[in-house]
Every structure is written in structure tokens, then in C-alpha cells.
Amino acid sequence: MTESIITKDTLDKNLEDFEIQEVLKNGTDLREYALQIDKGIKEAEKSSVADYLRESENIASLHGQIEECDGILARMESMLLVFQNDLGSISNEIISLQKRSVNMSVQLSNRQALKGPLSSFIEDMAVSETLIFGINNVPVIDKEFMVQLAILNQKINFVKEQDFKETKACHDVKDVLEKLKIKAVAKIRTYILEQIYKFRKPMANYQIPQNAMLKYKFFFEFVLTNERNVAQEICNEYIDTLSKVYYSYFKSYASRLDKLKYEEVPTKDDLMGIEDGSKGGFFQKTNLKNKSTIFTIGNRGDVLAQQLEAPIIVPHAQQKTKYSYEALFRSLQYALVDNSCREYLFTTEFFHVKASHAQELFDRILGKTLSLLVKSVENYVLECYDCLALFLCIQLINRYKWMCHKRAVPALDSYWDSLLSALYPRLEYVLKLNIQSVRECDPAKLSNKELGPHYITRRYAEFSAAMLSLSEQFPSEELNNLLLLLQDEVHCFLLKMAAEFPQRIQQLIFLINNYDMVLSILMERTRDNTKEAESFREQLQARSTEYVEEILSPHFGGLMQFVKEGEQLLENGKTNELATLEKKSMSLVASFTAGWKQSLEEIHREVLVSFPNLVTGSGLLQMALTNFVQYYHKFVKLLTPNARTQLVNIHVIMVEIKKYKTNY
């Protein structure tokens, strides 16, 4: 409104200034102009008074209305002031309510945050009637008892934790929990001891009570946590019972197995270099039920293959059957492995022990039994002269040790080491005795002086092949060195034995037959690339080449000598001197032409008679015929044209040679 008035005054003033400017501009007299203005104002005043007089009633009415409005406005102002005061009070109340709401929200949040832990605390602390009834009245093998026992264990641990924090509520339930714990421990102790006592029954199956105990292994965990004295009592009772059970079982089983051994056992007189039929020896017996000798593996190696995990021997069911020592050893050790692995895994799981503690517990249970078995093996090796039996036992130990590790059972490692420490030295000792027997063997005193394979060589071949094949999976450097030493002694023996024959060709036949027999056995039962096989292969090749020369020499010696001399002259550049040999060559041609067919037939017959191995004999015959053809070709080249015309055509000779070709 103020802005409107100011604007109007400003406009009037501007208008008045404009009029004054117009008056001044027109040159009007200001006094006259003032009079005109004054006159006009008076006329306007008169006119206004007349108007006021005419509207006096209306003005009076308006005045009354205005006063009435003033009264109304005054009352409204009073009401508004009261309302303003009320609004101020409401605002304060709203602020107060807002503060109270915030406080209540914080309290609610705090109570909600406390509700969970407090409820859990009360639940963990409270001992229900169900828990009391379950521990006191439900049988231990009932599932409900296991559930309530787990709850009790949880509450005991919780109360221990709160008691450490000096929580006063613990005093309300501590006595009740203690009584329940004592009751639970007593029931568990009775049950576990009942299961342990079942092991003592004759012919008991150990797996049944052990499986029952494993099913409730939490029982021992509960006792171990809450009553270590009772847990120790249970553990000691188990150890004492199982220790006696295992010792009794294995002592009886080992004793009964011992009665199934072969009655004939090798002695110190039964060595590789001892002659067959010598007094007191193993080999002079003729009524042996076990046909294999101590140097031939036969089917004895089956204990390392299909029989390795075969069912153990049942003595009362095999009373009339006799076994080699390694077969009985396998059965006994496999029974030990089976029982030991199961026992070790059971004790670690049930008694909650690991590493050194598990080993200590295992040793307390089976230590006595293991000592018994080690002593039994030590007693056996004192009088054992059977290398194969000793070596088979060593290989069985290596395989069973690996089997135990595969089952995560290292507890028998020291036992295996004890057995190996008893077997290995004895094996080396007996093997050295055999080496010495071959070294000291005097071929001149041996009655067997045939050209075929010698029995000592056959023993060596069978024995070496057996030892090499058995040691492929678990090789031993010390054993390999002894076998190489034995091989050297056999080589020396063969050379000494060959020297007993007066003729060189007989010596070669003897050596070839023996080398061939050894190589055949080694190739059949071992890998081709063994040092032993390679050594005999080289010897066989060298002797075969020399034998071919020897077998050809009686029949074609002149021709062969002529070829050698002629080649020597050509090599030295003395071609002219070949002509001087024409007379000699003519006599050779005549001699060859007259008897070459008969010579080939005699060579054929002699070779096949000399070698029992037809494959070897056939190979040597073909080698001899090949060498003969080569000599003949060279002979033809060295002859003069005149002498060549009298020679037998090479094609005729080849046709004749084809008659001696075999399919071996």
C-alpha cells in the first residue's frame, strides 16, 4: 500500500511540475494562475461539502460499521493471541514427545539386542526335565541318550566358561549338572567296559565290539573331557585286554603254522657249488614231496602276486598240506597287517590320538606280539640256508610296508625294520656261502663231465633269474653287487670246467651249451637289458663265432687257410705270389669237389648232436653254413681262371645248403 501512495504522490508532483512548466512556457501570469487555482479549489470544496451532506447518513452508517468491525477485529486479535499461546504450548509438548520417542526407540533397540543373547544364555544355563530324565533313565545305546548327552556336554562347557567370568547364575545349576555328569560318566563307563570284555570271549570277532564302540565314540570323548581318570581307566583296560588277546592269538597261530612247514629243509651242505648226491645234502633226497629245489623259484613267487592278499592259511583246515616257509610267513604277516591296520585306525579314531601318541598307544597294545614275531623270525634265520625263502620274505615285507602306508598306517615301520635287520644279513651271509662254494668247486673232482648244461650252471641260472625278477619292484644295490660277484664266479667255474675237456671244440660246445641255457632262462624270466643277460650274450656270441671256425676246420680247413693266406698277400700287395699257389689250389679244388656234400652232412649231424637246444643248434648250423659260403666266395675270387673251371657251381652248393634249413 505504501508503495502505491508514494507512486501516486510522485505522479501528482510530476503532473504539477508539468503544468507549471506549461504555464511558464505559455507566458501566463503566475498570480492570475494562482487566483484561478484558488477559485477552482473553493468551487471544489463547495461541491465536496454538498456531496458530504448528501451522503451524511451513509457516512454515519459507514462509521458505525467501521466501529463494529474494529470491535470484531479486537476480539479476533484477542482470540489469536490466545491461539498463539496455545500453539507455543503444543510445540513444546511435541518436542517433549519427540525426545521421549527417541529415548523409547533406543531402549527398544537395546532390549531387542539383549533379547537374543539373554534368551540363549537362559537356554544354555537352564536344566530341563527332559535332560534330567534322558541322562538318568534312558539306556546309553538309545539315540535319545546321545542327544541329551550332547546337550549336557554343551551346558557343562558353557557353565565352566561363565563360572570363569564369575557369573552368579552358575551357582543355581552347577550342582545339578555335576550330578548329571557323574551319572552319565558312570553309565558310559559301564557300557564301554562291557564292550571291552567281549574281546575276551573265545573265538570272538573283534570287529563287532569295535564297530559298536566306534558308533558311540562320542562317549569316550565326553568322558575324556570331563573325567580324565575314568578315561584313563577305560584306555588301560582296553590296552590290557587287547594286548593279551593279540599276543595269545598270534602265538597260537604262529605255533600252528610252524607245524605245516616242509620237513625237508636245506642245510649248509646244500649250496650252489655242492655236487648232486653229496652226503647229507638236500639234493640227495629222492622222496621229496616238494619237487622244486632251493634255487628254482617255480610257483613260490606267487606269494608276491596273486597270493599277496589271499585269505590266510587256516591250520586246522590244512593239516595234511605242507607249505614253504615264505608261504607261512606271508599268511602270518598278512594277518598281522590286517589286524594292525584295523587296530591303529580304531585307536586313533576312538581314543582321539595322533602322531607319537597314536604310536605309543599302538605299541602298548601290540608291542608284545610284535616282539614275539620278530623273535620267531630271528630263530628261523639262524638255521636258514634257503636264499629264495629269505629274499621272498624281504620282498613280502617291502610290499606289506607299502600296503600299510597306503592305508595311512605307519605304526609297523619299526617292526618291518626289525625283520629286515634280521633277514638281510642272513641273506647276504648265505649268498656269500654260495659264492664261496662255486669259487671252491674243483671241476676235476666232479663226476658229471658231460658237454651239456652243467647242474651248477642251471642252479645259477634259475637262482639269478629268480632273484632279478623278484627284485624289480624293490631293487637292492647290495644284493645286485653280490649277484654280479656270483656271476663272475660262475664264469670262472665254467672256464675251469671247460678246461677239463681235452679238445677245444668240446670246450666250446660245453661253454655254448651253458651260456645258452643261462641266457635262455634269464631272457624268459627277466628284462632283456639286465647286466647278467648282456654279459652272457657277449660270451655266447664270442664262443659261437669260435665254434663255427672249429667245426668247419676239419672239413674245409685247407680252403679256409688258403683264403686267409691269399687275402694276406693281397693286403700286402703281393699279387704275383698268388700264382705260386695255383698247384696248391688245384689240389684243394679236387679235394673239395670230391667231399663237400659229405662234409656238410657231417657238420649238420655233429652240430645237432652236440646241442640239446634245437634252436641253438640250428642257429649255429646256419652260422657255420653262412661262414662256409663266405669262405667259398673268397676262395673262388682267389683262384686262377683255369682252376675255377673245375669248381662246383655256387648255385649247386646253395641248393644243397637249403636242405639243412630248419624252422626252429
Side-chain angles (χ1 to χ4, degrees):
M1 183 182 291
T2 304
E3 290 180 356
S4 301
I5 295 173
I6 293 173
T7 303
K8 185 177 180 182
D9 291 344
T10 303
L11 290 174
D12 290 343
K13 185 178 180 181
N14 291 337
L15 182 60
E16 184 179 352
D17 291 340
F18 176 76
E19 290 178 353
I20 292 173
Q21 289 177 359
E22 286 293 325
V23 171
L24 292 175
K25 183 178 180 183
N26 295 328
T28 305
D29 188 359
L30 293 176
R31 285 177 294 184
E32 290 180 0
Y33 185 74
L35 291 174
Q36 290 177 0
I37 294 299
D38 186 51
K39 183 179 177 180
I41 291 171
K42 288 181 179 180
E43 290 178 355
E45 182 180 0
K46 290 179 181 179
S47 176
S48 297
V49 169
D51 290 336
Y52 277 114
L53 291 174
R54 285 195 302 271
E55 297 292 332
S56 58
E57 292 181 359
N58 292 335
I59 291 171
S61 176
L62 179 62
H63 178 72
Q65 291 178 0
I66 290 172
E67 287 184 347
E68 186 178 352
C69 287
D70 286 341
I72 293 171
L73 290 173
R75 289 195 299 275
M76 288 183 64
E77 181 180 11
S78 177
M79 289 175 63
L80 289 174
L81 289 174
V82 173
F83 184 66
Q84 184 179 10
N85 291 333
D86 292 342
L87 286 178
S89 299
I90 292 173
S91 175
N92 292 334
E93 290 180 3
I94 290 173
I95 293 172
S96 176
L97 290 172
Q98 186 177 10
K99 291 181 179 179
R100 290 176 60 190
S101 176
V102 171
N103 291 335
M104 291 177 66
S105 177
V106 171
Q107 292 176 357
L108 178 61
S109 298
N110 292 338
R111 291 181 180 181
Q112 287 178 339
L114 183 62
K115 178 182 178 181
L118 185 60
S119 298
S120 177
F121 177 85
I122 294 173
E123 184 178 351
D124 291 337
M125 187 69 73
V127 179
S128 65
E129 292 294 331
T130 304
L131 174 61
I132 296 173
F133 179 82
I135 298 299
N136 287 321
N137 301 317
V138 176
V140 291
I141 59 174
D142 196 300
K143 184 178 180 180
E144 180 62 22
F145 180 81
M146 180 71 77
V147 173
Q148 298 304 324
L149 185 66
I151 295 173
L152 175 61
N153 188 60
Q154 179 184 357
K155 290 184 180 297
I156 291 173
N157 294 332
F158 180 76
V159 169
K160 287 180 180 178
E161 180 182 349
Q162 296 303 319
D163 190 39
F164 180 76
K165 297 177 181 179
E166 298 182 354
T167 304
K168 294 183 178 180
C170 296
H171 300 293
D172 297 336
V173 296
K174 186 182 293 185
D175 292 340
V176 177
L177 292 177
E178 183 66 21
K179 293 177 181 178
L180 290 176
K181 181 187 75 173
I182 294 172
K183 181 64 176 179
V185 168
K187 293 174 70 174
I188 290 172
R189 174 184 175 277
T190 302
Y191 172 75
I192 295 180
L193 291 179
E194 286 176 355
Q195 298 303 313
I196 293 174
Y197 294 150
K198 290 181 181 179
F199 291 106
R200 301 178 180 180
K201 295 180 180 179
M203 307 299 293
N205 186 346
Y206 307 153
Q207 295 187 19
I208 295 176
Q210 282 185 337
N211 290 337
M213 292 171 69
L214 282 178
K215 185 178 179 182
Y216 302 104
K217 61 183 179 180
F218 178 69
F219 287 172
F220 185 80
E221 182 180 348
F222 177 84
V223 174
L224 184 64
T225 304
N226 297 284
E227 285 292 341
R228 298 191 70 87
N229 293 335
V230 176
Q232 188 63 48
E233 178 193 2
I234 293 173
C235 187
N236 290 339
E237 191 67 28
Y238 180 85
I239 292 170
D240 182 65
T241 299
L242 267 295
S243 175
K244 293 176 180 177
V245 167
Y246 282 124
Y247 182 80
S248 175
Y249 168 75
F250 279 99
K251 182 179 180 180
S252 172
Y253 186 59
S255 175
R256 289 155 66 193
L257 283 180
D258 191 59
K259 297 177 182 178
L260 301 180
K261 282 194 306 186
Y262 287 122
E263 296 178 0
E264 307 89 354
V265 294
T267 67
K268 62 181 179 180
D269 296 318
D270 300 315
L271 300 174
M272 191 173 293
I274 302 297
E275 185 176 5
D276 277 344
S278 60
K279 185 177 180 180
F282 179 75
F283 305 110
Q284 57 90 26
K285 298 179 176 65
T286 58
N287 59 344
L288 292 177
K289 295 180 181 179
N290 178 23
K291 300 301 182 182
S292 63
T293 72
I294 60 173
F295 300 110
T296 304
I297 187 67
N299 59 357
R300 296 172 70 181
D302 292 346
V303 295
L304 302 179
Q306 60 267 30
Q307 294 180 10
L308 184 65
E309 298 185 54
I312 63 174
I313 297 172
V314 182
H316 67 270
Q318 305 288 341
Q319 291 179 355
K320 297 182 180 180
T321 307
K322 297 297 180 181
Y323 295 88
S324 60
Y325 178 76
E326 65 272 7
L328 302 176
F329 181 84
R330 180 214 71 87
S331 182
L332 183 62
Q333 302 308 317
Y334 186 59
L336 177 67
V337 167
D338 195 37
N339 283 276
S340 297
C341 289
R342 185 177 66 248
E343 188 60 38
Y344 181 83
L345 295 175
F346 170 80
T347 53
T348 53
E349 185 176 358
F350 185 80
F351 292 107
H352 301 279
V353 288
K354 295 180 180 179
S356 60
H357 297 292
Q359 183 68 54
E360 180 184 357
L361 185 59
F362 179 83
D363 290 340
R364 291 176 63 188
I365 295 172
L366 275 157
K368 230 177 130 181
T369 300
L370 298 180
S371 298
L372 172 71
L373 298 182
V374 170
K375 188 65 176 176
S376 173
V377 172
E378 290 175 346
N379 291 335
Y380 167 75
V381 301
L382 288 176
E383 299 297 329
C384 179
Y385 290 89
D386 188 350
C387 286
L388 288 181
L390 293 170
F391 192 61
L392 284 169
C393 291
I394 290 173
Q395 293 301 315
L396 282 169
I397 290 170
N398 290 330
R399 283 160 174 77
Y400 284 139
K401 184 176 182 179
W402 177 81
M403 186 186 298
C404 289
H405 286 181
K406 191 176 179 181
R407 297 181 183 181
V409 180
L412 286 173
D413 284 357
S414 59
Y415 168 73
W416 301 130
D417 293 340
S418 298
L419 292 185
L420 291 175
S421 64
L423 291 167
Y424 254 121
R426 184 64 184 183
L427 174 63
E428 294 179 358
Y429 172 74
V430 178
L431 193 50
K432 288 177 181 178
L433 287 180
N434 281 280
I435 294 172
Q436 183 180 356
S437 71
V438 176
R439 182 187 302 122
E440 296 177 352
C441 181
D442 186 0
K445 297 180 180 180
L446 297 179
S447 59
N448 182 1
K449 293 184 180 180
E450 298 178 357
L451 293 176
H454 198 274
Y455 61 84
I456 292 181
T457 313
R458 182 172 296 279
R459 290 176 192 171
Y460 164 76
E462 296 282 355
F463 178 76
S464 181
M467 297 293 280
L468 290 173
S469 62
L470 294 177
S471 62
E472 286 181 356
Q473 187 172 351
F474 297 96
S476 168
E477 185 176 353
E478 295 80 4
L479 178 64
N480 290 337
N481 292 335
L482 288 174
L483 289 177
L484 290 176
L485 184 58
L486 176 61
Q487 175 190 321
D488 293 339
E489 294 299 333
V490 170
H491 276 304
C492 293
F493 166 77
L494 289 176
L495 294 176
K496 290 189 292 183
M497 190 68 197
E500 293 293 312
F501 298 99
Q503 300 178 6
R504 181 57 182 168
I505 194 167
Q506 291 178 318
Q507 297 175 2
L508 292 173
I509 292 172
F510 173 80
L511 291 174
I512 290 172
N513 278 327
N514 282 272
Y515 290 150
D516 178 65
M517 185 266 294
V518 174
L519 185 61
S520 298
I521 293 176
L522 289 177
M523 293 284 288
E524 178 186 353
R525 303 178 190 176
T526 64
R527 294 175 286 106
D528 295 346
N529 58 349
T530 60
K531 294 180 181 179
E532 289 78 4
E534 188 61 32
S535 174
F536 282 99
R537 187 180 290 111
E538 292 174 359
Q539 292 291 336
L540 178 61
Q541 184 63 36
R543 303 309 177 198
S544 297
T545 303
E546 186 179 354
Y547 170 76
V548 167
E549 294 288 325
E550 290 291 333
I551 196 68
L552 291 175
S553 184
H555 305 280
F556 306 107
L559 183 148
M560 295 164 62
Q561 185 63 30
F562 182 85
V563 170
K564 292 176 182 177
E565 291 177 359
E567 288 184 340
Q568 186 67 30
L569 292 174
L570 289 175
E571 186 179 348
N572 295 331
K574 300 177 181 180
T575 54
N576 295 330
E577 296 184 14
L578 283 174
T580 62
L581 299 177
E582 183 176 1
K583 184 177 180 181
K584 182 179 180 181
S585 66
M586 293 299 293
S587 64
L588 288 174
V589 169
S591 174
F592 177 82
T593 303
W596 68 274
K597 285 187 178 181
Q598 183 179 355
S599 296
L600 291 181
E601 180 62 30
E602 290 177 0
I603 290 173
H604 171 257
R605 183 173 60 255
E606 185 177 353
V607 170
L608 294 184
V609 169
S610 300
F611 301 98
N613 187 336
L614 295 179
V615 176
T616 302
S618 176
L620 287 169
L621 177 61
Q622 296 304 315
M623 186 185 297
L625 295 176
T626 301
N627 279 23
F628 162 68
V629 172
Q630 291 174 352
Y631 274 116
Y632 189 73
H633 274 294
K634 294 176 182 178
F635 180 64
V636 172
K637 292 180 180 179
L638 293 172
L639 291 178
T640 60
N642 182 36
R644 290 178 188 171
T645 59
Q646 302 181 37
L647 274 176
V648 179
N649 190 287
I650 186 65
H651 296 293
V652 175
I653 294 176
M654 294 303 295
V655 170
E656 188 68 23
I657 287 176
K658 286 182 179 179
K659 295 180 181 179
Y660 301 110
K661 186 177 181 180
T662 63
N663 296 322
Y664 298 117

